[in-house]
Amino acid sequence: MKVVPALKWFHNWVGFAISLTMLIVLSTGVYLGAMDILKRIDDKGQQYAPLTIEQKADITQTLFEKHPEMGTVRFPTEHSPFIEVAKRGESIAYDTDLNQLSTYKMSEVPMYGTIFWLHRNFLLGDVGKYVNAWASLVGGLITLVGIYLWWRVRKGFRLKQSIPTNTRSSSLLKSHIQLGLFISIPLFVLCITGFLITYKGLWTGALKQPTNLEQVQYPVSQAQDWHSQLKTAQLIWPDSQLVGVSKARQRQAQGEATAPQKKQDLQYSVRFDEHSDVWLRNADSIGFNYHTGQITSVVKHSERPLSGQVASFVRPLHDALNMPLKYVIFITLIAVVGTAILVFSTVTFYRRIFSKPKKSNVSPKAAAQAS
């Protein structure tokens, strides 16, 4: 079999085979992206006002004592002008006087949990998770093959063909090709990062870099003193904005009841934004042992090796974690267009393969004469 016909077969038949899984992933991605956009544009009626280290320390101590089950305290920024204490799937917003503004629980949002797990594993547990991962990888390869096939017969972009003018297969196919070219690269990135999120072992090792604590003698802060420790962290990077404090996650044995983390065991990281307008936020961190006041790690994104910097973007590029609002809007639009493309291609491919052609009333002899 020649290369080009083989690639066409792969793009058409394998693409059609995984179209259902990709339609589920992309359509649910539209919903999840829209919900994230709505959450981010809600400023709770607050205006950004910077806080001092003393205020941040008092807020951290108060909120962790009030909500020991929560893992993160976030301070006001220009893009999120309120205080937030959060854990996975739940957050509580406060103003700078610690008056509670709102409570958000993912489980209380209608259909959110169902759609999230439909997006993640098709509601099939680990089996669905791995099926989803490999379908995403294949989807990324199909995207690259589509670009190659277009490149061989390219005739330029035609904006007017992006939106189908009717429901004929020719119009749908032209729209599929045109829109596919526009979103091919970001769609490929979403597919590959979706695969890598499932297979974390392929990239998380690049994030584990040794700290140079022996070469650089960092000051030891007062034990069990938020103000002293946050002040020390800010002095290390005086030009960066201290934006949050996160407890280290503790693994629990199966069946063990959830319990608040003990102070003497508390390991936490102080999160920084070096530049408020960069795409990847909270990328710099300083780790502390709360009980001793010693620094346990100092990690700056710009000082990571290239492999670590790339690995840092795997999840953010897929679900916009610590990315700006404009990126959430961008990937949500990619999911919308991708859903439309899959619908167009599925319809045209089904018609071509499975629909029976209509019988012509013209005799073969008359057809031959007309030709």
Side-chain angles (χ1 to χ4, degrees), residues 197-217:
I197 286 174
T198 297
Y199 289 92
K200 295 181 180 179
L202 296 175
W203 55 276
T204 50
L207 297 175
K208 299 175 182 178
Q209 63 185 79
T211 55
N212 298 322
L213 298 181
E214 296 181 358
Q215 300 177 10
V216 180
Q217 295 296 322

Side-chain angles (χ1 to χ4, degrees), residues 28 37 48 53-54 82 96 101 105 130 133 144 163 167 216 226 234 250 260 273 285 288 312 321 330 339 356 371:
T28 53
I37 292 170
Y48 172 64
I53 290 296
E54 290 80 3
F82 51 85
T96 53
L101 300 173
K105 290 185 179 180
Y130 293 116
L144 293 181
I163 306 299
T167 59
V216 180
W226 287 111
Q234 185 67 81
Q250 284 188 322
D273 281 344
S285 66
F288 274 92
S312 299
L321 177 71
F330 174 70
T339 301
K356 294 181 179 180
S371 62

Side-chain angles (χ1 to χ4, degrees), residues 154-349:
R154 63 192 182 278
K155 294 181 180 180
F157 290 97
R158 289 176 173 80
L159 286 175
K160 63 181 181 180
Q161 295 179 353
S162 299
I163 306 299
T165 55
N166 51 58
T167 59
R168 292 179 180 177
S169 295
S170 59
S171 181
L172 295 179
L173 181 60
K174 290 176 181 178
S175 180
H176 168 89
I177 295 172
Q178 186 67 43
L179 293 175
L181 291 173
F182 286 135
I183 71 165
S184 56
I185 300 304
L187 184 60
F188 172 77
V189 171
L190 290 175
C191 288
I192 298 304
T193 52
F195 173 82
L196 291 174
I197 286 174
T198 297
Y199 289 92
K200 295 181 180 179
L202 296 175
W203 55 276
T204 50
L207 297 175
K208 299 175 182 178
Q209 63 185 79
T211 55
N212 298 322
L213 298 181
E214 296 181 358
Q215 300 177 10
V216 180
Q217 295 296 322
Y218 292 103
V220 177
S221 306
Q222 295 182 24
Q224 301 185 26
D225 188 317
W226 287 111
H227 177 253
S228 174
Q229 294 175 22
L230 295 189
K231 184 177 180 181
T232 298
Q234 185 67 81
L235 288 174
I236 294 174
W237 294 328
D239 297 328
S240 297
Q241 183 182 13
L242 197 162
V243 294
V245 176
S246 297
K247 299 177 185 176
R249 289 183 180 177
Q250 284 188 322
R251 294 184 177 180
Q252 293 177 213
Q254 189 172 2
E256 182 181 346
T258 302
Q261 196 173 22
K262 296 180 181 179
K263 281 186 177 181
Q264 60 264 34
D265 298 327
L266 179 57
Q267 304 285 334
Y268 73 94
S269 61
V270 186
R271 301 288 179 175
F272 287 87
D273 281 344
E274 185 172 7
H275 304 288
S276 61
D277 58 344
V278 297
W279 276 40
L280 184 61
R281 294 167 177 161
N282 302 341
D284 303 334
S285 66
I286 299 175
F288 274 92
N289 183 316
Y290 177 80
H291 179 62
T292 64
Q294 290 183 324
I295 292 176
T296 57
S297 64
V298 178
V299 180
K300 203 159 193 174
H301 182 266
S302 59
E303 296 175 357
R304 288 183 182 275
L306 179 61
S307 59
Q309 293 186 25
V310 172
S312 299
F313 274 96
V314 169
R315 184 179 170 187
L317 285 175
H318 189 81
D319 65 4
L321 177 71
N322 295 331
M323 299 284 264
L325 174 62
K326 58 187 176 183
Y327 183 74
V328 187
I329 296 173
F330 174 70
I331 61 173
T332 303
L333 290 175
I334 295 300
V336 171
V337 176
T339 301
I341 288 174
L342 279 174
V343 171
F344 297 161
S345 62
T346 301
V347 170
T348 55
F349 191 74

